[in-house]
Every structure is written in structure tokens, then in C-alpha cells.
Amino acid sequence: MFEHLTAQKPDGILMLMQMYREDPREAKVDLGVGVYKDATGNTPVMRAIKAAEQKLWEVEDTKSYVGLAGAPDFNDAMVNLVLGTTVPRSSVNSVATPGGTGAVRQAFELIRMANADARIFVSNPTWPNHLSILDYLGMETVMYRYFDDETRGVDFDGMIADLKTAKKGDVILLHGCCHNPTGANLTGPQWDEVIKVLQDTGATPMIDIAYQGFGDGLDADAAGTRAVAAAVPECLIAASCSKNFGIYRERTGILMLVANGTDKAIAQGTLSFLNRQNYSFPPDHGARLVTMILNDDALRSNWMTELEDMRLGMLSLREQLAKELETRSGSNRFGFLAQHRGMFSRLGASPELVVKMREGSGIYMVGDSRMNIAGLNAETVPILAEAIVKAGV
């Protein structure tokens, strides 16, 4: 029967990674892959993770399954990290998942169970896997305006106008912080306006927060998510530990369902049921490390210090790149790069100019001109700035 399978569309980022590896030039810059890198180009194991792993090795005495929902102390620690004291813990149902992608997939499955006719409102642009999963599940997608190609900021008027067309039973997917792929984020007052639209329309918010701590700090990055969760009767939150704990390959995430009007046993039971149907018990190694760090004052302090260093490093690279471009172009039109937050920024270059920079200068970025700022260092920023100006962006 397998002879009837057809080829799947190649993943653009994976293809870009292969092209980069095969490029013989020494002076090449990889801004495509979406992982944090330090100044040497390495994705390091964070100090607190190393310390927690050493401690875990010494005390762990079983590799038996955890519960269908994951370890309760992991769920508690992550709910506290993302939501703080904004929402009573008793109002939050949660399950551990294999990474943030697992949380997103389970959220979409849950929505489909609750309302097969739900429309999912998704920002234009968004993380490509949002659309890929929704398409695979056969769920209706409505794109709402988000990125302004002229200002490289948020097209907020367009966004609000589009979100107002949602209705009760629809879901509005929002990025909690560090918007991927644009880097353009909502302000506090803008979050308040989005909340009003959610309240007026009755649509259910779903928040994907994958980069908490990479933008303006742990609490600042969660502020929008917390405000939404406190203001509406129900919401979904998919959170990832891949980036802020640097445990990409451990596949550690969580799905939260805040549902004040739903029987808790039914809500939690349904989340656990979905885990059982998909992968039964979620992985625990990464979750155990995260729990140890968040519940130990010394480990948590160490982790927060290193995370802040990473955040400030990316911010410094943004500011350096914006200044280099201003100097080389004689224009401040690239100032948006210093205003964006997180690992990514969308440059606003056409696909043709992206190819031109790759072929002429060895600059590898995604075709929509999304750049991974963490792929830069102080030495490669001038190289990128020169390539951008040379290409005529």
C-alpha cells in the first residue's frame, strides 16, 4: 500500500540548512535555523541545566512512567512561571507535552473536539508549523493582518479590524512574545485592545509562548499572556522550554487550559485523554530538569542570570546591526531592528533579494527574509550590514 504515498513538500528551513552546509565559502553566515547560538556559533548547555543533570544523575532511582499529564510538580512550576499569581492554580488544567510543538498540536486537537466548526484566526505571517498542522488536521484557518511591510512593525489597525470578524466558537491564535517570524510585538495598551475584542466577540484566545525571557525579561514577556488569562473565561496556552532553558532535543513543553466555566474533572480528563491517544506518557527528563531549576533558589538564580545574559546579548546585536545599517545606508529606515524583540526579525526583503544576499555574500536567511539574530556575533554584524546595503534592501 505504501507505493501510493506521495512526496511531501520539503521544509524550507531544513533545505536552507543543507545549502549552508554544502557552501564551501568560509565567509558565510547562517541566520536561518531557529536555535539560540552564542558568539562562537554554539548552542550551549546552560549552566543550571548542567548542574541539575549532575544532581539528577545522583538521586534519580527510576525510569518508570510519569502520569498521563506529566509530573504534577513540573506542571505547577511551569504554570507559575508563565501565569504567576494572575490566575488561581485551581482554574488551570495542564498536561506536559513533547516540546511546544506538541502543546500546539494537542491544543488544536482539543479545539477540534470541542467545536469541529471552529475557525482558527492566525497572524499573517506566523510560525509555518501552525499552518502546516492546521492544514493537516483539516481545520479552517483565517489569516489576520499583523506585520506592516512598510514600517516593519505591527499593523495594529488592520489586526483589530480582522479580529473583530471573529465570533463565539472561533479561536484567535496569538504569540505571547517575541513574534516568530517578525520580531514585532504588541505593546501593553495594544494587548488591552485585543482583550476587549476577545470579550466583545466571545472568541477563545490561544497563546503560543515559546520565547519567554528572550524579549524584555521573564515577567515582561509573560505580561500579555497573563492579562489575557485574567480577563477572559477561557483560554489555551502552549509553552515551550526549548529556548529559554536551551533543552531543544529534550522536547519539553506544556499545554494549559484555563476554563472557569468547565467542570475541572472533564477539562483535565480530556487533556489527559488526548495525551493517551497521541503518545501516552510525556517525556520527563527535560521536564525534571526544568522542575529542579524552578524549585531550587540557587539553580533558578543561576538560570535567570544566564538567560538574562542571552537576552541582553541579542539586544546588543540588534542595536549594533541597526547602527551599522544607519552608517552604511545613510538612513534610519532599519531602526525597527533595534525595536524588535526575541531571536527573529523580518527584514522586509523580497525573495529575490534574499537569494541575491545568499549568492553574493553568503548570507543565509529564510525566503521571507526572517533572520535569526542569535546567529550573529560582533564580527559578522558588519558583514550582514554590508550585504543588506549591497543587495539594495
Side-chain angles (χ1 to χ4, degrees):
M1 63 178 175
F2 298 115
E3 67 270 17
H4 300 297
L5 293 174
T6 57
Q8 302 301 307
K9 183 180 179 181
D11 186 285
I13 294 178
L14 296 182
M15 290 177 61
L16 191 69
M17 290 169 60
Q18 182 66 25
M19 292 172 63
Y20 178 82
R21 285 193 295 266
E22 294 175 354
D23 189 334
R25 290 175 291 185
E26 291 187 11
K28 56 182 180 178
V29 182
D30 178 13
L31 304 178
V33 64
V35 299
Y36 173 82
K37 297 180 182 180
D38 60 20
T40 68
N42 183 46
T43 300
V45 179
M46 297 181 75
R47 295 188 302 266
I49 290 292
K50 281 276 194 183
E53 283 191 308
Q54 179 65 38
K55 186 175 182 180
L56 181 62
W57 183 84
E58 294 172 349
V59 301
E60 189 174 42
D61 57 6
T62 183
K63 289 291 186 181
S64 183
Y65 295 122
V66 293
L68 284 175
D73 52 354
F74 169 73
N75 283 265
D76 289 342
M78 283 300 296
V79 169
N80 180 263
L81 178 68
V82 176
L83 291 175
T85 59
T86 305
V87 178
R89 181 65 180 92
S90 59
S91 298
V92 185
N93 310 279
S94 60
V95 285
T97 60
T101 303
V104 167
R105 173 61 183 265
Q106 295 296 70
F108 290 156
E109 294 273 13
L110 181 66
I111 292 164
R112 190 169 63 167
M113 285 183 68
N115 179 15
D117 297 322
R119 298 181 299 167
I120 315 299
F121 281 65
V122 181
S123 68
N124 185 16
T126 191
W127 180 49
N129 221 22
H130 285 151
L131 300 175
S132 178
I133 296 172
L134 287 167
D135 179 66
Y136 179 77
L137 293 174
M139 301 178 73
E140 183 178 354
T141 302
V142 179
M143 304 301 292
Y144 63 84
R145 283 170 284 180
Y146 186 83
F147 188 65
D148 188 320
D149 288 319
E150 291 299 319
T151 66
R152 273 73 157 184
V154 177
D155 177 7
F156 191 66
D157 290 341
M159 176 185 181
I160 291 296
D162 290 345
L163 294 186
K164 285 182 177 179
T165 66
K167 62 182 187 297
K168 188 175 179 62
D170 290 334
V171 173
I172 295 176
L173 176 57
L174 301 160
H175 293 232
C177 64
C178 305
H179 187 273
N180 179 5
T182 70
N185 299 293
L186 299 177
T187 64
Q190 288 173 336
W191 274 107
D192 291 339
E193 290 194 49
V194 170
I195 289 170
K196 186 176 187 307
V197 171
L198 290 168
Q199 293 171 332
D200 290 344
T201 62
T204 298
M206 173 181 164
I207 301 175
D208 186 353
I209 181 165
Y211 301 94
Q212 185 181 357
F214 269 29
D216 290 307
L218 284 167
D219 288 328
D221 288 349
T225 301
R226 293 172 181 176
V228 169
V232 297
E234 59 182 24
C235 72
L236 287 161
I237 302 166
S240 171
C241 300
S242 295
K243 286 79 178 178
N244 53 7
F245 287 90
I247 50 174
Y248 299 89
R249 66 177 63 173
E250 302 296 352
R251 310 313 300 136
T252 306
I254 186 171
L255 173 62
M256 307 175 207
L257 168 60
V258 181
N260 294 307
T262 303
D263 182 276
K264 186 169 180 63
I266 293 175
Q268 185 61 53
T270 303
L271 290 175
S272 295
F273 169 82
L274 284 172
N275 268 16
R276 181 61 166 168
Q277 306 317 303
N278 198 339
Y279 41 77
S280 283
F281 302 95
D284 183 63
H285 184 72
R288 182 56 33 207
L289 300 176
V290 168
T291 305
M292 294 170 68
I293 289 169
L294 293 179
N295 290 338
D296 181 283
D297 289 343
L299 288 175
R300 185 177 183 125
S301 177
N302 192 340
W303 167 67
M304 290 176 65
T305 298
E306 187 168 4
L307 179 61
E308 182 69 358
D309 288 343
M310 294 161 65
R311 183 186 77 84
L312 293 175
M314 287 185 286
L315 185 57
S316 176
L317 290 168
R318 288 186 172 282
E319 293 170 346
Q320 182 188 354
L321 179 58
K323 290 178 181 177
E324 283 280 353
L325 284 164
E326 182 175 6
T327 299
R328 293 169 186 269
S329 69
S331 165
N332 64 357
R333 68 181 187 276
F334 296 103
F336 65 89
L337 291 168
Q339 302 304 315
H340 287 176
R341 288 295 184 270
M343 288 206 305
F344 304 116
S345 272
R346 178 179 268 195
L347 184 59
S350 67
E352 293 76 18
L353 291 180
V354 170
V355 172
K356 187 175 181 179
M357 285 187 283
R358 183 173 70 241
E359 293 180 348
S361 304
I363 304 296
Y364 284 77
M365 65 178 71
V366 182
D368 65 0
S369 75
R370 186 200 80 170
M371 305 184 299
N372 179 7
I373 297 298
L376 293 167
N377 59 43
E379 285 69 41
T380 56
V381 165
I383 296 173
L384 173 60
E386 179 62 27
I388 291 172
V389 173
K390 183 179 177 182
V393 178

